[in-house]
Amino acid sequence: MPHQALEDVLRADRGRLLAALIARTGEIQRAEDALHEAAASALVHWGRSGVPDNPAGWLLRAAWRKAIDGWRREGAAARNRAARELLAEEEAADPDPQDIADDRLRLIFTCCHPALEPKTQVALTLRTICGLTTAQIAAVFLDAEPAMGQRLSRAKAKIAAARIPYAVPGPELWPERLNAVLTVIYLIFTAGYTAGPEAGLELCGEAIHLARLVDALRPGEAETEGALALLLLTEARRPARVGPDGATVPPSDQDRGLWLPDLAVEGLGLLDRAMARRRPGPFQIKAAIAALHAAPLPTDWPQIAALYTRLLDWEPTPVVRLNRAVALAGSGALEAAAQSIDALAAELDGYQPFHAARADLRLRQGRPAESIADFDRAIALAPHPADALFLRRRRDAAMISAPNRG
């Protein structure tokens, strides 16, 4: 029973507790160590005296005492004294442990501070807010665990040395910093989504949780609503992503009866609210594209191409240009699509979707032999067996069209 109770409270409240401890101690590592020690004490104490009525509050106070003990052992007398005074005040007032939500928001903004590299921002968010282990984070980035451990340690040291504040930035910095936060959340979701329908389930869930958290703590932000809508509309298609034969199924061919209607409805509602605020942004555009993929068939490719053209104003990246080219091909503008895709060859040579898109385009153009070569390259780069199986079948179809190849 104590083990299960502890597991439940850490699953639900670890990020909230850790954020509160970091806000009090000003040190990520000390807060992590204190919470770990408090959890170990909980197993002993709860096993002897029973699970307390408020296990999250118990853990918070126990961890806070562990941190204070650490300062005392290190001879940090002034800090130890101030911390004990704060602890005494809190215990006398019996504060509501639920009243710590803003600390998580502060921690998210700290993890996404511009002084940290984007990869480090994601890794640190996964560690502190989502509670993933170093090994799990290393697996997300296909890194070795020691290398990821060093990256996280450097990030914590940099935050301490640079005195990066644990604070939500002022209104003048909110638009710039919010985009970094939402981008990190989106990258976490993308990492989970590309890992596969089952393997990435937990990461996608954590990303949606974070987006909901930001939306709840800072309501009325159109881009936050757009980002959450994008995640929900994408997640709604998860059950239909892979067919019974194990191959990836494109959205237009998916069994829509398998989609998750609650997520889709919520996503569309969020997108409507975001667009009504008339403060357009990249996440709202991406959500609008996802909504078009969820609309009744046939797919409105000209509208999707127009949205990608608009998205280029915010994100003039090769990947967005590739996606626009795919939409152009879908709308029948094959020559324009071919010119756009060929112009990306040098930049995206190692990117599997580029070769898959060019293979599909060349097949549409009646160039099956060239299409087969592109499919072979895409298959070699496919990150997931389901994607590779789908591409092999497309290649086999192309070979039927090119019987004299080889």
Side-chain angles (χ1 to χ4, degrees), residues 355-380:
H355 296 281
R358 191 163 67 173
D360 184 74
L361 176 63
R362 285 177 168 171
L363 198 57
R364 290 168 183 256
Q365 290 178 308
R367 301 159 62 184
E370 296 165 272
S371 174
I372 290 167
D374 283 319
F375 273 126
D376 286 339
R377 177 71 171 142
I379 292 168

Side-chain angles (χ1 to χ4, degrees), residues 110-152:
T110 300
C111 293
C112 298
H113 193 279
L116 302 176
E117 299 174 358
K119 182 176 180 179
T120 301
Q121 292 175 350
V122 177
L124 200 56
T125 303
L126 288 170
R127 181 77 186 97
T128 58
I129 301 294
C130 303
L132 268 64
T133 65
T134 301
Q136 290 172 314
I137 300 168
V140 169
F141 289 103
L142 303 179
D143 281 352
E145 184 177 346
M148 181 53 68
Q150 291 172 3
R151 175 180 289 274
L152 291 168

Side-chain angles (χ1 to χ4, degrees), residues 215 219-230 270-271 273-274 277:
D215 184 47
E221 292 288 345
E223 273 295 89
T224 303
E225 293 169 338
L228 180 55
L230 171 63
L270 278 163
L271 179 59
R273 286 205 297 276
R277 300 186 194 284

Side-chain angles (χ1 to χ4, degrees), residues 49-368:
S49 305
V51 178
D53 294 337
N54 188 342
W58 191 99
L59 276 176
L60 181 61
R61 289 195 179 94
W64 188 210
R65 292 191 187 98
K66 298 291 184 185
I68 293 172
D69 289 345
W71 282 322
R72 187 184 65 246
R73 289 194 298 271
E74 295 165 10
R79 194 159 195 181
N80 179 32
R81 185 168 52 254
R84 286 194 173 280
E85 290 173 356
L86 177 58
L87 177 62
E89 291 175 5
E90 291 185 344
E91 291 188 331
D94 192 21
D96 184 355
Q98 297 296 324
D99 189 24
I100 56 177
D102 282 349
D103 288 335
R104 278 188 294 179
L105 184 60
R106 285 195 285 168
L107 183 54
I108 292 174
F109 275 95
T110 300
C111 293
C112 298
H113 193 279
L116 302 176
E117 299 174 358
K119 182 176 180 179
T120 301
Q121 292 175 350
V122 177
L124 200 56
T125 303
L126 288 170
R127 181 77 186 97
T128 58
I129 301 294
C130 303
L132 268 64
T133 65
T134 301
Q136 290 172 314
I137 300 168
V140 169
F141 289 103
L142 303 179
D143 281 352
E145 184 177 346
M148 181 53 68
Q150 291 172 3
R151 175 180 289 274
L152 291 168
S153 295
R154 287 196 300 270
K156 296 170 188 174
K158 187 169 187 176
I159 288 173
R163 299 183 181 278
I164 293 175
Y166 293 93
V168 177
E172 73 284 2
L173 296 176
W174 183 257
E176 173 192 351
R177 297 291 298 279
L178 176 63
N179 186 63
V181 170
L182 296 178
T183 299
V184 165
I185 292 173
Y186 181 59
L187 289 173
I188 292 172
F189 183 87
T190 302
Y193 204 74
T194 55
E198 298 302 326
L201 191 60
E202 184 175 350
L203 275 182
C204 290
E206 292 290 355
I208 291 172
H209 166 74
L210 288 175
R212 289 190 189 280
L213 180 64
V214 175
D215 184 47
L217 296 177
R218 188 84 178 202
E221 292 288 345
E223 273 295 89
T224 303
E225 293 169 338
L228 180 55
L230 171 63
L231 304 192
L232 294 175
L233 288 168
T234 307
E235 183 69 4
R237 299 200 302 263
R238 174 183 292 277
R241 284 179 58 195
V242 175
D245 57 357
T248 296
V249 182
S252 59
D253 296 335
Q254 289 176 359
D255 179 355
R256 297 183 172 217
L258 298 176
W259 289 1
L260 303 172
D262 291 347
L263 294 185
V265 169
E266 184 183 359
L268 292 173
L270 278 163
L271 179 59
D272 287 343
R273 286 205 297 276
M275 295 180 71
R277 300 186 194 284
R278 299 189 178 280
R279 298 196 297 270
F283 283 105
Q284 294 170 71
I285 294 175
K286 293 174 188 175
I289 293 170
L292 285 172
H293 281 298
L297 297 173
T299 303
D300 189 349
W301 288 112
Q303 182 65 16
I304 292 174
L307 286 170
Y308 274 120
T309 300
R310 186 77 176 92
L311 184 58
L312 283 170
D313 293 339
W314 277 275
E315 297 181 8
T317 66
V319 171
V320 174
R321 295 203 299 273
L322 174 66
N323 290 337
R324 178 178 176 274
V326 170
L328 287 173
S331 63
L334 300 185
E335 185 57 33
Q339 291 179 7
S340 297
I341 288 179
D342 288 343
L344 296 168
E347 293 176 278
L348 297 180
D349 182 59
Y351 188 57
Q352 177 261 322
F354 165 77
H355 296 281
R358 191 163 67 173
D360 184 74
L361 176 63
R362 285 177 168 171
L363 198 57
R364 290 168 183 256
Q365 290 178 308
R367 301 159 62 184

